[in-house]
Amino acid sequence: MSLRLGAIVDALGGELEGGSREDEIHAIAPLQTAGSDALSFLSNPRYQSQLAASQAACVIVGPAMRAVALARGACIVAADPYVYFARVTQLWARAHRQGEEEGIHPSAVVHPQAQVHPTAYIGPLCVVERGAVIGAHTQLKSRVTVGERCTLGERCIVHPGVVIGADGFGFAHEAGQWVKIEQLGAVRIGDDVEIGANTCIDRGALGDTVIEDGVKLDNLIQLAHNVHVGRHTAMAGCSAVAGSTKIGAHCTIAGAASIVGHLELADNVHISTNTVVTHSISRPGQYTGVFPMDDNARWEKNAATLRQLYKLRERIKALEQTRKDG
């Protein structure tokens, strides 16, 4: 399996320098491990030392790294090397794929009242329940469950173990017991959404849970009932969003971050890893709330001090008031 450098540049643009269009690429690899038949990339200038030592046949670089890359050998110069690398992986996959999978695997269970587009693929052991809709070129890899009346748009990729449209966690408390609130909504997922393995998206209690176009969800994410995720937002693994929270467009939620319920996050909000979001965020920006790791004995002392901050605050206020009165 191979691609010519000329074919890559013809398909994706960029400028090939210091190499031949006829050179064959047999692999795509990181700078450190790339062999003499591989294509690699440099997107972060901090790894410039790895570029000089790399054995790659050709390296994708930005304009600022052109001279350094040429001193080493062949390069493709692109405005954004990381995006160009991503496009190369897609080109490689298309060139070497054994045709796009379509149809319904014999082991899958699809309700007669479900709608599956002829170009969609329903993989092994998947379940598509009554009234569900699966759009064109969407792929359910394996063991995916799509609940009643849930819809997926076009070109979605849903990885193994995903559950879309299980009941949201809704109960009313009465005399020490829990009374179930039937979850009467569904889940609506737009086009070009990718959902990682074992992620769960609950159906809405009354209205629908909504995932807009272009959203990317990692593995092991929990989205509760009536969550709304704006277009092109990306969420990393083990993050969780409680019910009825609305996340804007072009947001990023880092791994293991949590967002409590009934909040609203503006567009272009970026949440750092392990942060717990406890109030709505109305302005774009980076938000972090992580208690730093430390030596355990020192961490315990700091944590104990943190618990006393309110009392310290009140003492300082009292002292300030005494000085003011005096």
Side-chain angles (χ1 to χ4, degrees):
M1 298 194 302
S2 65
L3 281 174
R4 290 184 302 106
L5 285 177
I8 293 172
V9 174
D10 288 345
L12 303 179
E15 300 175 31
L16 174 62
E17 301 191 23
S20 168
R21 289 176 51 87
E22 301 304 315
D23 288 345
E24 296 275 348
I25 296 297
H26 293 269
I28 303 170
L31 285 170
Q32 312 95 297
T33 60
S36 59
D37 61 350
L39 177 65
S40 190
F41 72 99
L42 173 69
S43 61
N44 192 326
R46 289 185 299 176
Y47 301 111
Q48 183 175 331
S49 61
Q50 295 181 8
L51 172 63
S54 179
Q55 300 299 308
C58 183
V59 179
I60 305 160
V61 297
M65 290 288 106
R66 180 197 307 259
V68 177
L70 275 173
R72 189 209 64 89
C75 64
I76 295 174
V77 182
D80 189 326
Y82 195 60
V83 172
Y84 197 97
F85 155 73
R87 303 278 187 209
V88 169
T89 65
Q90 294 178 4
L91 182 66
W92 186 273
R94 287 195 301 270
H96 299 100
R97 190 177 289 139
Q98 300 294 321
E100 188 175 87
E101 292 182 298
E102 297 178 354
I104 300 171
H105 191 275
S107 66
V109 177
V110 178
H111 194 281
Q113 294 179 23
Q115 300 177 43
V116 178
H117 194 277
T119 62
Y121 173 66
I122 311 300
L125 303 175
C126 289
V127 175
V128 182
E129 296 183 352
R130 179 177 56 192
V133 178
I134 311 298
H137 303 287
T138 283
Q139 296 202 342
L140 311 187
K141 293 296 189 179
S142 65
R143 296 180 287 104
V144 173
T145 296
V146 180
E148 289 189 7
R149 297 177 288 105
C150 296
T151 63
L152 282 83
E154 299 182 358
R155 300 175 301 279
C156 295
I157 302 172
V158 185
H159 291 281
V162 168
V163 177
I164 298 168
D167 276 1
F169 192 65
F171 299 90
H173 194 259
E174 180 186 45
Q177 296 183 337
W178 296 102
V179 180
K180 182 175 177 61
I181 300 170
E182 291 294 341
Q183 304 294 288
L184 305 178
V187 177
R188 288 186 285 121
I189 296 174
D191 299 335
D192 302 301
V193 172
E194 184 158 353
I195 304 173
N198 294 317
T199 282
C200 295
I201 305 173
D202 291 346
R203 67 176 56 248
L206 297 177
D208 294 341
T209 301
V210 178
I211 312 298
E212 294 188 6
D213 294 349
V215 168
K216 309 302 180 187
L217 302 177
D218 197 0
N219 303 335
L220 295 166
I221 290 173
Q222 163 66 21
L223 299 182
H225 54 191
N226 298 105
V227 165
H228 189 125
V229 181
R231 65 191 184 282
H232 303 296
T233 282
M235 300 179 64
C238 296
S239 52
V241 184
S244 299
T245 282
K246 183 174 182 180
I247 299 173
H250 303 285
C251 295
T252 56
I253 313 298
S258 301
I259 305 172
V260 303
H262 301 273
L263 303 184
E264 186 163 347
L265 275 60
D267 296 346
N268 295 295
V269 165
H270 307 288
I271 305 299
S272 300
T273 184
N274 283 286
T275 295
V276 179
V277 180
T278 58
H279 58 83
S280 293
I281 300 173
S282 59
R283 293 186 299 175
Q286 181 83 35
Y287 294 84
T288 304
V290 182
F291 199 92
M293 183 187 74
D294 203 346
D295 169 80
N296 187 70
R298 189 160 51 232
W299 186 93
E300 287 180 345
K301 291 175 183 176
N302 289 334
T305 302
L306 186 64
R307 294 177 63 183
Q308 303 300 317
L309 283 181
Y310 182 77
K311 291 180 180 179
L312 290 171
R313 171 178 172 267
E314 293 304 303
R315 287 176 61 187
I316 291 169
K317 285 175 67 177
L319 287 169
E320 288 176 342
Q321 188 62 44
T322 300
R323 291 185 63 185
K324 191 182 215 179
D325 294 343

